[in-house]
Amino acid sequence: MHVLVVDDNRELADYAVKFLKVFANHTADVAVSAKEALELASEREYGAILTEFRLPHQDVGLNLAKSLRDQGFKGLIIGLVSITRTFTVEKMTEMGFNAILRKPILEKDMDILKMKPGTVLFEGDDLSYEKNKTPLR
């Protein structure tokens, strides 16, 4: 699978690319901004996009996922977070995300890339959700 990694920290993005190659045998491109991610996604075919939530100019990454879906992207969109934040599953799915992973990504996280597009999976172990919102699993 070819993956797009979106992170404004180039060093972390390059780490993710190496990790994807070593542990999942996936190829990957890097975008360091939401604008660059949208351009690459319109030019190339990606099976999944791993995106940092805290991207400048894209409302914590949420709007990037929505923009990608509006642009016609059908693959997996997986949000990467470096701190525990409060999210609602409904908001994440509404914006177009399939899953959230906590950074740094680990070898055990690679199975998430085997999900079929349209699948929604939110792990509750590392993330807190709004009261009365249950993670899907």
Side-chain angles (χ1 to χ4, degrees), residues 87-96 122 129-130 132-134:
F87 301 104
T88 66
V89 171
E90 288 83 1
K91 182 67 171 174
M92 301 311 299
T93 55
E94 175 186 314
M95 297 306 282
F122 290 94
Y129 293 86
E130 252 182 40
N132 301 322
K133 305 295 181 188
T134 306

Side-chain angles (χ1 to χ4, degrees), residues 1-115:
M1 176 189 305
H2 197 55
V3 177
L4 177 60
V5 176
V6 186
D7 198 319
D8 60 328
N9 182 322
R10 182 65 193 223
E11 187 176 329
L12 290 175
D14 288 341
Y15 166 80
V17 168
K18 288 177 188 172
F19 194 91
L20 286 165
K21 181 162 181 55
V22 170
F23 291 104
N25 201 30
H26 294 307
T27 57
D29 294 327
V30 170
V32 294
S33 70
K35 180 181 177 195
E36 185 180 8
L38 290 168
E39 289 171 4
L40 286 171
S42 70
E43 297 168 0
R44 300 186 180 131
E45 186 81 22
Y46 294 102
I49 295 176
L50 303 179
T51 181
E52 165 62 50
F53 264 50
R54 299 186 64 90
L55 289 172
H57 313 294
Q58 278 292 331
D59 189 26
V60 196
L62 289 173
N63 286 337
L64 175 58
K66 182 166 181 353
S67 296
L68 287 163
R69 294 296 185 210
D70 290 347
Q71 187 171 288
F73 181 74
K74 303 278 189 239
L76 299 172
I77 300 178
I78 300 167
L80 301 174
V81 296
S82 54
I83 59 172
T84 301
R85 301 181 57 92
T86 302
F87 301 104
T88 66
V89 171
E90 288 83 1
K91 182 67 171 174
M92 301 311 299
T93 55
E94 175 186 314
M95 297 306 282
F97 284 90
N98 297 95
I100 302 170
L101 291 176
R102 187 155 184 204
K103 293 194 300 186
I105 55 175
L106 304 172
E107 185 176 1
K108 71 177 180 68
D109 296 327
M110 292 298 95
D111 282 345
I112 208 162
L113 292 172
K114 296 176 185 171
M115 291 187 338

Side-chain angles (χ1 to χ4, degrees), residues 13 72 125:
D125 295 340

